Amino acid sequence: MSTIPITQSQLRPPPIKEQFVRRSKLNKKLIHIPKYPLTLLYAGAGYGKSTALSLFAHDLNTDICWYTLSQNDDDILPFLTKLIQSIKQNHSFFGNKIQEELEELDNYITIEKVYSLASSFINEIMSLEESVILILDDFHHVKHSTEIEKWMLFVLQHIPSNLHMVVSSRNRPEWDVMSKYKIKGDLLEITQRDLTLSPAEMNFILEDMHQLNMSDEDVAKIHTLTEGWTIAFNMLVQQLHTETSVETIFLNRQKSLEDLFDYLAHEVLSKQSLIIQQFLMQSSIMEVLSPEVCDHVLQINGSEEILAGLVKQNLFIEEGEGNYYRYHALFKAFLENLLLLKHENEYNTLHMVCVKFFSVPL
């Protein structure tokens, strides 16, 4: 087996910055992590998942094992190699047997071998005889690896009592063991709702941390625009530091949100298939989405399945009652702006189809 390069920054929490905010409501959930075998933290891009866990790790009066996954780790060999190293940071004798097994592997790994590696991991964790808090950040990068999923499921089915695993991802893993964990009270879930900033939290950040005096009306406008999305709020705060007023930001919204739109293009849209990219841009012209309307306006079949898939990904979409959906306001603005920029004729045609569809005869 070739040597897997280890990037040390993957094995440490992001550094704490002065402007990071400890949020009391969120912290009340985070402090319970050591009491649960499994914690799931999931939210869309830019909601502060890594920041929240980094603050938790910093404030915890014990060592944690941290592993930030990347796209290059979407295979059992680099995944386990780096996972072992993350635990070795605090437990130097951990992982010797697993490392020996990994070194004997060739390019093809049987399911039996995956289970053997998982058993060795469990046994070595138990031999430590002390609590191990293991944080797997950005787990969505490896969600398509069958071997990693089977390894994770085996470990979760036989999780040792001294292991507390935290899985942070952009979407909630669909593992069969989740129902068993929930019934037994062994699962802590921290969702996008927990990470969304409230108007009161925004006001505190603006006034107490950035010395920006805002009226309640201005804070309400910012909250309405961002819907509590952390990265969008932080970008607006940066602009407010340049003495730009809230009114100016709103009047020049496209220019003000340019950096955010670049982030969405790179971190979100580019990660989707071409079919999903096309669906997102075309459907963005509608304020409210339903499978039937999307099928008709976009002249396709299967919108219901696509919309359900977007919800599972936490892709800035909310599901309402009666099988209706809506995009996050800023995500919708980004998609609609991109459609107009790249496909102006298609943009105009889709709007005409929408108007005709929703027109009610007198």
Side-chain angles (χ1 to χ4, degrees):
M1 183 190 74
S2 58
T3 302
I4 304 295
I6 302 295
T7 305
Q8 289 298 321
S9 59
Q10 284 187 266
L11 310 182
R12 292 185 176 89
I16 300 298
K17 299 179 182 179
E18 289 184 3
Q19 65 267 34
F20 283 179
V21 180
R22 288 169 173 80
R23 301 161 57 192
S24 58
K25 188 176 179 181
L26 176 59
N27 286 345
K28 286 178 182 178
K29 277 198 165 185
L30 291 170
I31 60 175
H32 291 296
I33 285 175
K35 300 177 183 178
Y36 288 84
L38 177 64
T39 298
L40 296 180
L41 189 154
Y42 49 94
Y47 272 91
K49 299 182 293 297
S50 299
T51 299
L53 288 174
S54 183
L55 285 169
F56 160 76
H58 180 269
D59 294 342
L60 193 66
N61 192 24
T62 187
D63 291 327
I64 61 97
C65 304
W66 183 287
Y67 172 21
T68 299
L69 289 86
S70 72
Q71 293 177 333
N72 296 326
D73 301 334
D74 193 17
D75 182 86
I76 193 72
L77 293 178
F79 172 76
L80 285 182
T81 300
K82 295 177 182 181
L83 182 63
I84 292 168
Q85 290 302 315
S86 74
I87 299 175
K88 273 184 174 292
Q89 303 282 319
N90 301 323
H91 309 278
S92 57
F93 296 106
F94 176 84
N96 294 331
K97 184 173 188 311
I98 313 172
Q99 195 67 53
E100 289 176 4
E101 289 187 62
L102 289 175
E103 290 172 357
E104 294 173 358
L105 294 177
D106 52 26
N107 292 329
Y108 177 74
I109 303 176
T110 64
I111 297 303
E112 290 74 18
K113 193 60 185 176
V114 170
Y115 293 154
S116 173
L117 289 165
S119 296
S120 297
F121 174 82
I122 292 168
N123 294 337
E124 290 210 46
I125 288 288
M126 292 181 67
S127 70
L128 294 175
E129 297 182 351
E130 58 183 301
S131 291
V132 177
I133 297 177
L134 173 62
I135 296 178
L136 302 178
D137 194 26
D138 287 348
F139 192 80
H140 51 272
H141 285 309
V142 300
K143 66 179 181 179
H144 297 301
S145 170
T146 303
E147 289 82 8
I148 293 175
E149 181 176 10
K150 290 186 180 299
W151 185 92
M152 286 288 296
L153 286 174
F154 189 94
V155 170
L156 291 174
Q157 287 167 354
H158 307 280
I159 193 164
S161 59
N162 62 324
L163 177 62
H164 308 276
M165 189 177 290
V166 182
V167 177
S168 174
S169 180
R170 289 184 183 175
N171 52 281
R172 186 181 190 272
E174 296 181 7
W175 294 327
D176 294 338
V177 296
M178 291 301 97
S179 56
K180 176 184 175 183
Y181 269 75
K182 290 192 75 171
I183 290 172
K184 294 175 64 178
D186 288 338
L187 175 64
L188 174 62
E189 292 192 72
I190 301 173
T191 69
Q192 186 165 299
R193 187 181 299 275
D194 297 308
L195 293 163
T196 300
L197 292 168
S198 68
E201 288 172 325
M202 288 185 171
N203 190 57
F204 170 79
I205 295 169
L206 288 165
E207 292 192 356
D208 289 58
M209 298 195 65
H210 294 275
Q211 289 74 52
L212 294 169
N213 294 319
M214 296 280 148
S215 66
D216 291 343
E217 182 181 359
D218 282 344
V219 174
K221 285 181 180 179
I222 293 173
H223 185 266
T224 299
L225 176 65
T226 63
E227 298 185 36
W229 185 15
T230 308
I231 193 170
F233 173 70
N234 288 338
M235 287 183 176
L236 291 182
V237 170
Q238 292 173 20
Q239 293 186 44
L240 289 169
H241 271 297
T242 63
E243 300 182 2
T244 302
S245 67
V246 174
E247 290 75 16
T248 303
I249 291 174
F250 274 72
L251 287 172
N252 302 286
R253 192 173 303 185
Q254 184 170 333
K255 180 65 176 176
S256 301
L257 300 172
E258 188 174 334
D259 289 340
L260 177 63
F261 286 177
D262 288 343
Y263 171 84
L264 287 172
H266 177 71
E267 284 294 325
V268 180
L269 191 63
S270 67
K271 307 295 173 63
Q272 304 299 314
S273 68
L274 294 178
I275 292 176
I276 297 301
Q277 289 185 36
Q278 182 179 21
F279 179 88
L280 288 167
M281 285 191 291
Q282 291 178 340
S283 60
S284 69
I285 65 166
M286 294 174 272
E287 296 295 330
V288 179
L289 309 171
S290 72
E292 296 77 17
V293 174
C294 288
D295 277 350
H296 178 86
V297 173
L298 307 185
Q299 298 182 336
I300 62 173
N301 294 313
S303 293
E304 184 169 13
E305 183 179 348
I306 292 175
L307 289 167
L310 296 178
V311 171
K312 287 182 179 179
Q313 288 191 64
N314 266 330
L315 205 64
F316 305 104
I317 186 170
E318 290 187 7
E319 183 177 7
E321 296 181 2
N323 212 19
Y324 286 96
Y325 304 80
R326 78 169 185 90
Y327 291 127
H328 185 292
L330 290 178
F331 190 54
K332 178 184 184 303
F334 157 68
L335 293 170
E336 195 168 5
N337 179 70
L338 194 61
L339 179 64
L340 177 60
L341 184 66
K342 290 190 171 184
H343 310 285
E344 185 176 354
N345 290 336
E346 185 178 9
Y347 174 88
N348 294 327
T349 300
L350 287 170
H351 269 284
M352 291 173 61
V353 174
C354 267
V355 169
K356 185 176 181 181
F357 181 84
F358 287 107
S359 296
V360 179
L362 297 176

